[in-house]
Amino acid sequence: MTLKPEPTTPFHSVQYVLRVLETVSRHASGVSDAQIAREAGLPAGHLTPLLTMLHREGYVEQITGGAYVIGDSLVLLGSGASRERALEAKLQETLSEIRDSVGAAIYLSRYVDGEVRVTQYADSPHTPKVNEYVDFRSAAHASALGKCLLTQLDRNGRRDHLARHKITRFTSRTITSEKLLFSKLDSQPPTVPVLDLQEYAVGTVCAAVPLTAGSAVGCLALSLPVEHAHRLRAAAEKLNRKAAPVVLSLVL
């Protein structure tokens, strides 16, 4: 698999977060926000929103006097053999929170060993997941999450994928031309959600945003019944804003 050069992600300050966590971890008895800023070398306007997010997600905690220490979430993620279970549980909790906030079924998808994989999802009776009548592995050209993953591959990577999963028409809106598909993928701004307007399934609209964590290719997606299509763009923008904790979980 060949990746495109890493784009600017919705969570472009992930390196700042890692610096903050490294700084806090060096001070077992607590460290002030001013000292964090000095040691981590952060621009003045970045620290407060990052600390707010880290505190909300349980990665740092505040003790008496307002100093910060490492939180329970980070302790659990660093606990050796149980790390994978703790990470999965943390991601599931985050996906469920995003589902309730956005009002849509939420999917975490990765491109692993040349295949599209939905590794976790969060739905509910009020936000049902899409009916996967065709395996997502065979529908990357039509689904929002599939197209979002393909945007992160170079042309050779995309051609390799489509050589194994032929372009198929699922609805009247499905793109069946490789040239047109590649043109749309190349013109997709990395900070703008990828949309699926009934290309995969009639009656469903979807959106996806990239999750770039090192060399991993992933995305966060949502689906809505077509009668809620008027909410899609606003929901997609909110999904974009909510991607930060997911990226953070993937890189820790």
Side-chain angles (χ1 to χ4, degrees), residues 13 32 39 56 62-63 66 87 104 106 110 113 128 136 142-143 155 170 176 178 182 184 209 217 229 246 250 252:
S13 52
S32 69
E39 293 188 17
R56 183 178 66 246
Q62 273 190 295
I63 58 177
L87 175 58
I106 303 295
R110 310 292 294 278
D113 297 329
F136 284 134
S143 65
R155 284 187 167 243
F170 301 127
T176 56
E178 180 179 297
F182 281 19
K184 286 186 174 294
V209 297
V217 173
V246 182
L250 295 177
L252 290 178

Side-chain angles (χ1 to χ4, degrees), residues 15-71:
Q15 295 302 322
Y16 290 152
V17 171
L18 294 178
R19 287 188 213 167
V20 169
L21 292 176
E22 289 169 358
T23 301
V24 176
S25 67
R26 288 197 297 267
H27 298 272
S29 59
V31 59
S32 69
D33 52 2
Q35 188 170 353
I36 294 171
R38 286 196 302 273
E39 293 188 17
L42 292 184
H46 283 65
L47 184 60
T48 298
L50 294 187
L51 283 175
T52 298
M53 186 275 289
L54 289 170
H55 186 267
R56 183 178 66 246
E57 296 297 320
Y59 291 110
V60 299
E61 295 177 2
Q62 273 190 295
I63 58 177
T64 303
Y68 289 90
V69 295
I70 289 299

Side-chain angles (χ1 to χ4, degrees), residues 1-246:
M1 177 183 67
T2 309
L3 306 184
K4 293 172 64 178
E6 184 170 321
T8 301
T9 69
F11 190 33
H12 61 275
S13 52
V14 63
Q15 295 302 322
Y16 290 152
V17 171
L18 294 178
R19 287 188 213 167
V20 169
L21 292 176
E22 289 169 358
T23 301
V24 176
S25 67
R26 288 197 297 267
H27 298 272
S29 59
V31 59
S32 69
D33 52 2
Q35 188 170 353
I36 294 171
R38 286 196 302 273
E39 293 188 17
L42 292 184
H46 283 65
L47 184 60
T48 298
L50 294 187
L51 283 175
T52 298
M53 186 275 289
L54 289 170
H55 186 267
R56 183 178 66 246
E57 296 297 320
Y59 291 110
V60 299
E61 295 177 2
Q62 273 190 295
I63 58 177
T64 303
Y68 289 90
V69 295
I70 289 299
D72 290 340
S73 292
L74 196 60
V75 171
L76 286 173
L77 290 181
S79 57
S82 64
R83 184 185 186 282
E84 187 172 342
R85 293 192 300 274
L87 175 58
E88 183 177 345
K90 180 62 179 174
L91 282 169
Q92 194 62 44
E93 178 185 342
T94 300
L95 295 181
S96 296
E97 290 173 354
I98 296 174
R99 173 201 63 202
D100 295 340
S101 176
V102 175
I106 303 295
Y107 312 79
L108 177 60
S109 183
R110 310 292 294 278
Y111 196 74
V112 181
D113 297 329
E115 298 291 353
V116 173
R117 302 188 188 281
V118 176
T119 54
Q120 287 179 249
Y121 67 88
D123 65 347
S124 74
H126 300 294
T127 56
K129 65 184 182 69
V130 66
N131 174 29
E132 192 179 344
Y133 75 104
V134 174
D135 194 314
F136 284 134
R137 290 178 297 179
S138 301
H141 63 286
S143 65
L145 62 86
K147 289 188 291 181
C148 190
L149 295 175
L150 291 178
T151 63
Q152 298 172 65
L153 306 182
D154 66 9
R155 284 187 167 243
N156 288 334
R158 295 171 191 170
R159 288 197 176 101
D160 173 73
H161 183 89
L162 295 179
R164 291 178 287 106
H165 299 287
K166 302 299 184 183
I167 291 180
T168 303
R169 184 181 298 279
F170 301 127
T171 77
S172 63
R173 294 175 176 265
T174 306
I175 296 175
T176 56
S177 162
E178 180 179 297
K179 181 179 180 180
L180 178 58
L181 175 65
F182 281 19
S183 175
K184 286 186 174 294
L185 296 178
D186 287 337
S187 64
Q188 176 70 34
T191 56
V192 176
V194 178
L195 302 182
D196 159 17
L197 304 177
Q198 302 188 87
E199 296 170 51
Y200 171 73
V202 174
T204 302
V205 294
C206 307
V209 297
L211 298 176
T212 303
S215 62
V217 173
C219 74
L220 193 62
L222 65 82
S223 67
L224 289 167
V226 70
E227 55 265 31
H228 291 279
H230 61 282
R231 295 203 294 116
L232 181 62
R233 291 191 181 276
E237 291 302 327
K238 194 166 190 178
L239 182 75
N240 212 6
R241 295 193 298 272
K242 295 285 185 179
V246 182

